[in-house]
Amino acid sequence: MEISTLATYHCLAFVWYFFVAYSITHVKTEEPPSEVFLYGGQWKYLTVLNLVLQAVFYGVSFLADVLRLIKKLRCAKCVISSRDLLFSVLAFPVSTFVSISFWTLYTYNRELVYPKSLDGVIPLWLNHAMHTAVFPFALLEILALPHRYPAKKKGLILLGFVAFLYISWVLWIYSVTGEWVYPLFALFSPSGLAAFFAGSLAIIVSCYNFGEFLNRMIWGQSKFSS
């Protein structure tokens, strides 16, 4: 894909994710929010954090494209390295995990992750923008250009560290408010919750491996953007 075309695509994707993140953080409801909602606002939900993550990623990608267009190759090389690390370790695995886990749980029992009462608060298009479109966007990014993946150990350590930070944030919110961020968690015993978190970590690691596999199958081992 031509650099100018990539720049246009990345710019539009950035604007889209910024718009979606803005829209969900400004949703109004007539119901008084619970304490768990008030504590940390919407920045406790992985879906919302993923929207911000994707906006940052596409912003960095657009910057890399612009630097290549104006021939600032030394600066571009550094930004491209950051772009590839961000995509491989976080942007692809998290967006894939969000889409798969949400729709799996939604199909099983939507009240555990997305109560029916939210239908009157969050428009249908916004729900799909947050939980459905994120996966095709991630796939399109892999098809659009190759990304250099870090060494497997380094990539998984970084991903695991971020997962640990998010789990710690969820547990901290529960310790302060006495309520779980997701109603699903209330169904588990402490050991069951630990097993659920471990299973979720295994799934997101699989998402990381899946992205690396697709990147290698499409672009091979040696072809990387520069």
Side-chain angles (χ1 to χ4, degrees), residues 155-174:
L156 293 181
I157 287 176
L158 289 173
L159 177 60
F161 177 69
V162 173
F164 172 77
L165 289 179
Y166 180 69
I167 292 173
S168 298
W169 174 227
V170 168
L171 294 175
W172 173 258
I173 292 170
Y174 177 75

Side-chain angles (χ1 to χ4, degrees), residues 70-213:
I70 62 177
K71 306 301 182 182
K72 299 290 186 179
L73 299 183
R74 180 174 298 181
C75 294
K77 186 175 181 179
C78 179
V79 176
I80 287 172
S81 295
S82 300
R83 178 203 68 190
D84 288 348
L85 185 65
L86 189 60
F87 178 77
S88 61
V89 174
L90 292 178
F92 184 87
V94 174
S95 61
T96 305
F97 176 81
V98 164
S99 187
I100 292 175
S101 61
F102 175 83
W103 288 113
T104 299
L105 292 170
Y106 184 98
T107 302
Y108 173 71
N109 183 355
R110 65 170 297 177
E111 295 299 317
L112 298 176
V113 290
Y114 194 84
K116 193 172 180 61
S117 58
L118 290 178
D119 289 345
V121 178
I122 300 177
L124 181 62
W125 73 266
L126 187 52
N127 180 23
H128 284 292
M130 295 188 296
H131 300 116
T132 307
V134 290
F135 182 55
F137 263 105
L139 289 179
L140 183 57
E141 178 65 21
I142 284 186
L143 292 171
L145 75 162
H147 297 81
R148 185 180 298 277
Y149 272 67
K152 179 65 69 73
K153 183 178 180 180
K154 176 183 177 181
L156 293 181
I157 287 176
L158 289 173
L159 177 60
F161 177 69
V162 173
F164 172 77
L165 289 179
Y166 180 69
I167 292 173
S168 298
W169 174 227
V170 168
L171 294 175
W172 173 258
I173 292 170
Y174 177 75
S175 72
V176 172
T177 66
E179 296 182 61
W180 288 110
V181 172
Y182 298 101
L184 170 68
F185 296 162
L187 301 179
F188 295 107
S189 64
S191 58
L193 189 61
F196 178 82
F197 285 147
S200 298
L201 182 60
I203 293 173
I204 202 169
V205 167
S206 298
C207 293
Y208 174 94
N209 290 329
F210 178 57
E212 185 179 36
F213 169 77

Side-chain angles (χ1 to χ4, degrees), residues 28-32 121:
K28 302 296 182 181
T29 175
E30 296 179 358
E31 296 290 333
V121 178

Side-chain angles (χ1 to χ4, degrees), residues 3 6 64-71 73 76 80 225-226:
I3 299 177
L6 277 175
D65 298 333
V66 170
L67 290 173
R68 293 173 70 189
L69 282 171
I70 62 177
K71 306 301 182 182
L73 299 183
I80 287 172
S225 53
S226 60

Side-chain angles (χ1 to χ4, degrees), residues 16 25 49 170 176 214:
W16 165 252
T25 54
L49 294 175
V170 168
V176 172
L214 287 179

